[in-house]
Amino acid sequence: MSVQSASPRVALFVTCLVDLFRPSVGFAAVKLLEDAGCDVSVPKAQTCCGQPAYNSGDMEDARAIAKATIKAFEGYDYIVAPSGSCSGMLMKHYPELFEAGSTWRTRAEAFSDRVHELVSFLTDVLKVESVEAQFPGTLTYHDSCSGLRELGIQAQPRKLLGSVEGLELKEMPDPDVCCGFGGTFCVKYADISNTIVSKKTKAIRASGAGTLAAGDLGCLMNMAGKLKREGSAIQVRHVAEVLAGMTDEPPIGEKRR
Amino acid sequence: MQITSPRFKDNARDALADTQLQRALSNVEHNFIDKRRIVADALPEFEALRDSARDIKNHTLAHMDLYLEEYESKVTASGGHVHWAETAGDACQIILGICREEKARTVTKGKSIVTEEIGLNAFLEENGITPVETDLGEYIIQLRGEAPSHIIAPAVHVNQSQVEEDFRRVHTHLPEGRDLSEPTTLLNEARGVLRQKYFDADVGITGANFLIAETGSSVIVTNEGNGDLTQTLPRVHIVVATLEKVTPTLEDVSQILRVLARSATGQDMSVYTTFSTGPKRAADPDGPEEYHVVILDNGRSGMLGTEYQDMLRCIRCGACMNHCPVYHAIGGHAYGWVYPGPMGAVLTPSLMGIDKAGHLPNASTFCGRCESVCPMRIPLPKMMRHWRTREFERHLQPSAARYGLGLWAFFARRPALYQLATRLAIGVLAMLGARRGRFSSLPMAGGWTRHRDLPAPQGATFQQLWSRREKTRRRNAA
């Protein structure tokens, strides 16, 4: 792995779900970034990207959260998030919250330009070709929708997973089809969401892999929750944990041994 | 057509429990997607064509008055008549007037989703005129007393044995031993019955995929040829189309046609693409003696100049619903009005009011697959979000959801308070969930745990652990 002479100053956007439910993903992200030569900080004044408000039509709260986030992340070379969905919000939707030509629009655009999703930041910006990690077993990768369709993340995680020692990637049918999470959708339209995630777990099982990985904790909690309810032994992990070789924490939805 | 969108949740529940429908939907999910992918991949300029199709339509929408006027003058010059209808009721009255003048008793119909929008069949029947649908799928659902469940495959929710049952029920001339066990035998039966209907019809009514301003032509795209028979055999041809179908030139239409069938059915072109320009001329051997075009607004002009204008680019290919995980789960009828799937989630509130269609723009995971395949590059999720914003502003969402969101936003806007509150809440939740690592039920989380477990949090929040790590670091460095 290449270590650059002047370490880029990277601020981690933790994401609310990683902060609350799975800090190990945050630490895996920090490890990956530090191994790639970054100087990583975690601004304290962050909460959530504001997507729940934005997608519920509550533009006032979404705008207020966006302003606070933009302020909290000033002065860093890059802002990196271990989530395609939150990165998409920060990169593609923040500018749209503010009127064209306004000061905040300019600030939002300058902010968005510095934001990256974790895995694509490693491969596309830092030019990381491989990681030093081990993972004995088979793994199938789900393409979460926002990362895939808003940010074009598809080859990057597969490339890095391919460099993990002992890991065998086994594709599921239609890895690019939604898992039915959709933020508040999965609660508001629980029955429809259930049908969609049931198709997804069927595809995951069809892959024959022992572990499922993806880049978004929301989708992962949805799929893990369904797999566990179905009694499946397939383990579920965020891709950052696998790439960082930090798989000592129990998989998502499983108890400590 | 009666709107049942307010009952979306009940409609969806019924659809999810309908095993026959679920089987039929799995065909939509696979056939259409694979076919589109193959033809799109085979055409190197496909993406560029999508851009050009979008640009053509954007240009048209910016100058719609001009192109509609030009279209009208060209139709008139070719001996046809143009009628302007502001509402569904106006359109029905105009069509009835033409039929009455003709003393029509039977009317054949082909290729027209817009006549579903204006409820034409029921209206004609009330007025003593028998409408006969001639597209096989439309014919089947007419026999069943249903509405289409898909824009281009109206009977996609029905299986073969149901069709056989319907034919035996309605086609009373059928001998019991008649073989109706294959798609082709069913097709031949429908064809045989419809043949006589074509000859009986006094008036033929079709929709239009495009109205060409340059030539005054209407264009229909079909795979069965029923549209051609509908518009050429009767003495009178009525075209019913909405404002936004107007397209400047033949060349423009040719370009958009290249993305239409590929996006819809995965064909390079549909089997029939038929251009009609006015009534039969003196030297023509066939064709109608009268040619009428009814141009319907029904709320479209109100979308011009608004954040919903992009929706008027839609060419009704159905690709958005073919690729939608929600449509795959519940089918078209659950959406409760003429236009299902992502397109309906934008169009239905635009045309019928968000108060009647509030569920539709909300019942989306925003996975974005619809936008990624839309040949006209309509930003469907963005427009659904616009509708959610309008709803939020008008306080139309359930109060529990608003209250919950408001509470969450209160904390999300105050990082220090947020971190204190989440630290406490997560600590408790982690303790409760530590034994199993997940919850199979939890108060306030019923929407989640009804169908899946909720993974328990690991313990402390990341921010907590990070502060500890930073403190240790500083201590060690000192």
Side-chain angles (χ1 to χ4, degrees):
Chain A
M1 217 178 285
S2 71
V3 179
Q4 300 182 347
S5 49
S7 303
R9 297 195 62 221
V10 174
L12 183 71
F13 184 85
V14 187
T15 85
C16 57
L17 287 179
V18 167
D19 181 34
L20 306 184
F21 280 87
R22 210 160 166 82
S24 57
V25 175
F27 286 103
V30 171
K31 180 179 188 294
L32 286 165
L33 291 167
E34 288 183 341
D35 284 355
C38 300
D39 171 13
V40 182
S41 306
V42 182
K44 257 207 144 129
Q46 55 175 310
T47 59
C48 162
C49 65
Q51 229 178 133
Y54 182 63
N55 284 342
S56 301
D58 176 4
M59 292 301 148
E60 195 194 317
D61 278 320
R63 217 168 277 131
I65 293 167
K67 284 181 181 176
T69 306
I70 292 168
K71 278 191 218 160
F73 284 84
E74 247 149 28
Y76 296 98
D77 298 331
Y78 300 104
I79 298 119
V80 174
S83 156
S85 168
C86 310
S87 305
M89 178 70 191
L90 304 178
M91 293 163 75
K92 304 281 172 182
H93 299 287
Y94 267 25
E96 289 177 4
L97 283 166
F98 305 101
E99 222 168 292
S102 66
T103 323
W104 271 106
R105 174 68 163 255
T106 314
R107 280 182 83 171
E109 280 167 357
F111 166 85
S112 297
D113 286 347
R114 291 178 293 134
V115 178
H116 296 272
E117 183 274 340
L118 173 69
V119 179
S120 62
F121 180 69
L122 294 171
T123 57
D124 303 347
V125 179
L126 299 178
K127 308 292 176 198
V128 172
E129 298 276 328
S130 62
V131 291
E132 280 163 34
Q134 293 184 335
F135 187 90
T138 50
L139 180 143
T140 193
Y141 184 83
H142 164 74
D143 296 285
S144 293
C145 300
S146 301
L148 175 71
R149 280 178 273 269
E150 284 189 339
L151 309 178
I153 299 168
Q154 192 167 31
Q156 298 92 323
R158 289 177 171 82
K159 178 182 172 171
L160 290 188
L161 285 167
S163 73
V164 174
E165 204 185 312
L167 187 153
E168 187 196 340
L169 191 64
K170 287 183 139 184
E171 294 286 355
M172 69 178 93
D174 304 320
D176 59 341
V177 171
C178 180
C179 74
F181 172 62
T184 53
F185 169 85
C186 69
V187 178
K188 283 191 192 159
Y189 299 94
D191 297 334
I192 301 173
S193 174
N194 179 47
T195 300
I196 301 174
V197 73
S198 301
K199 288 184 198 174
K200 193 81 223 182
T201 53
K202 198 173 154 194
I204 293 165
R205 268 192 250 107
S207 74
T211 296
L212 163 72
D216 270 88
L217 195 51
C219 318
L220 286 164
M221 287 175 67
N222 179 43
M223 293 182 289
K226 189 68 196 177
L227 284 167
K228 294 301 147 200
R229 179 64 58 93
E230 292 170 344
S232 167
I234 295 172
Q235 303 196 340
V236 182
R237 291 194 176 278
H238 192 284
V239 68
E241 298 173 14
V242 178
L243 295 178
M246 289 168 69
T247 49
D248 44 332
E249 281 285 330
I252 297 170
E254 286 181 25
K255 64 169 188 246
R256 288 163 197 281
R257 276 168 290 247
Chain B
M1 182 179 158
Q2 206 69 24
I3 181 165
T4 68
S5 307
R7 295 202 301 272
F8 175 80
K9 277 200 166 180
D10 296 330
N11 295 347
R13 193 170 312 127
D14 294 345
L16 292 169
D18 184 339
T19 47
Q20 185 283 122
L21 174 68
Q22 292 298 320
R23 254 201 313 278
L25 286 171
S26 68
N27 294 331
V28 178
E29 196 172 336
H30 292 108
N31 293 346
F32 281 118
I33 291 176
D34 293 345
K35 285 180 182 162
R36 177 196 172 275
R37 185 168 36 222
I38 291 165
V39 293
D41 288 350
L43 191 70
E45 67 269 38
F46 188 67
E47 294 305 313
L49 277 172
R50 287 173 70 187
D51 289 339
S52 121
R54 174 199 56 204
D55 296 345
I56 289 168
K57 211 66 181 185
N58 277 346
H59 167 84
T60 315
L61 293 172
H63 307 280
M64 195 136 95
D65 49 348
L66 192 89
Y67 288 115
L68 284 168
E69 274 174 27
E70 189 188 347
Y71 173 76
E72 181 181 29
S73 72
K74 290 289 161 59
V75 173
T76 312
S78 66
H81 308 274
V82 172
H83 311 261
W84 300 93
E86 196 179 329
T87 65
D90 295 347
C92 284
Q93 288 297 343
I94 292 165
I95 294 164
L96 180 65
I98 300 167
C99 290
R100 286 228 165 113
E101 201 141 292
E102 192 57 25
K103 297 191 173 57
R105 298 177 61 184
T106 303
V107 169
T108 42
K109 290 182 66 214
K111 186 66 198 181
S112 171
I113 197 82
V114 72
T115 60
E116 298 285 341
E117 181 180 323
I118 63 174
L120 183 64
N121 284 4
F123 180 81
L124 288 178
E125 274 168 23
E126 281 161 23
N127 286 282
I129 296 170
T130 308
V132 181
E133 293 291 349
T134 60
D135 170 274
L136 179 62
E138 285 272 356
Y139 179 66
I140 291 166
I141 59 168
Q142 190 181 24
L143 295 187
R144 297 171 63 83
E146 290 179 350
S149 70
H150 189 287
I151 294 286
I152 59 158
V156 75
H157 58 287
V158 181
N159 71 25
Q160 203 175 300
S161 63
Q162 287 173 309
V163 178
E164 175 171 357
E165 244 172 69
D166 292 326
F167 280 5
R168 290 202 187 279
R169 179 171 51 81
V170 180
H171 297 179
T172 43
H173 59 272
L174 279 173
E176 246 178 65
R178 171 71 175 274
D179 176 26
L180 289 177
S181 60
E182 295 295 325
T184 47
T185 54
L186 286 170
L187 190 65
N188 286 335
E189 172 55 24
R191 179 174 293 178
V193 169
L194 286 171
R195 184 168 302 257
Q196 191 53 45
K197 305 282 186 192
Y198 289 119
F199 294 125
D200 292 346
D202 308 298
V203 172
I205 299 178
T206 66
N209 289 84
F210 306 95
L211 304 173
I212 306 176
E214 180 185 35
T215 60
S217 315
S218 58
V219 183
I220 57 170
V221 170
T222 68
N223 277 316
E224 298 175 20
N226 63 304
D228 293 24
L229 294 169
T230 301
Q231 68 179 34
T232 48
L233 292 179
R235 213 183 68 78
V236 176
H237 175 202
I238 304 176
V239 179
V240 191
T242 47
L243 297 174
E244 80 280 11
K245 296 281 176 184
V246 75
T247 314
T249 66
L250 264 170
E251 172 63 30
D252 293 331
V253 167
S254 314
Q255 291 209 46
I256 300 177
L257 278 170
R258 297 186 69 197
V259 293
L260 175 58
R262 287 185 167 90
S263 303
T265 46
Q267 295 165 287
D268 293 342
M269 283 288 278
S270 296
V271 178
Y272 300 87
T273 303
T274 310
F275 295 68
S276 310
T277 314
K280 166 177 156 175
R281 284 156 301 189
D284 291 342
D286 299 303
E289 287 163 33
E290 278 183 40
Y291 177 83
H292 296 267
V293 186
V294 180
I295 300 182
L296 174 69
D297 183 341
N298 213 25
R300 269 91 176 162
S301 58
M303 293 166 72
L304 284 171
T306 72
E307 55 207 332
Y308 305 107
Q309 176 169 312
D310 288 348
M311 193 61 218
L312 295 174
R313 289 206 298 268
C314 177
I315 54 171
R316 309 286 188 264
C317 68
C320 58
M321 57 195 77
N322 293 342
H323 289 75
C324 175
V326 176
Y327 183 94
H328 294 160
I330 60 174
H333 285 153
Y335 289 83
W337 200 54
V338 188
Y339 304 103
M343 55 146 9
V346 179
L347 256 185
T348 307
S350 302
L351 302 180
M352 302 299 277
I354 188 63
D355 50 328
K356 292 197 190 72
H359 277 296
L360 309 186
N362 284 288
S364 164
T365 66
F366 275 176
C367 80
R369 214 175 176 202
C370 50
E371 182 178 352
S372 74
V373 296
C374 174
M376 306 304 285
R377 298 206 191 280
I378 299 171
L380 290 155
K382 184 176 168 180
M383 283 189 292
M384 286 182 232
R385 194 181 295 111
H386 284 321
W387 274 123
R388 296 183 188 185
T389 307
R390 296 291 90 78
E391 267 195 304
F392 188 86
E393 288 163 355
R394 290 174 55 189
H395 298 246
L396 290 172
Q397 286 144 335
S399 53
R402 283 184 71 86
Y403 181 74
L405 184 71
L407 189 70
W408 166 85
F410 174 85
F411 284 101
R413 292 171 68 161
R414 294 167 177 78
L417 196 60
Y418 173 92
Q419 277 164 21
L420 183 70
T422 52
R423 189 181 296 186
L424 292 171
I426 289 304
V428 173
L429 203 58
M431 220 161 59
L432 293 173
R435 202 172 54 81
R436 283 186 68 226
R438 57 183 182 269
F439 302 93
S440 45
S441 77
L442 199 65
M444 313 282 287
W448 181 284
T449 54
R450 193 189 321 164
H451 298 295
R452 41 180 134 45
D453 291 352
L454 179 71
Q458 285 174 323
T461 67
F462 178 83
Q463 290 284 9
Q464 248 177 307
L465 297 169
W466 183 257
S467 299
R468 272 182 223 161
R469 177 182 127 151
E470 290 301 280
K471 256 182 224 160
T472 319
R473 266 194 174 180
R474 276 196 297 272
R475 208 179 305 130
N476 294 345

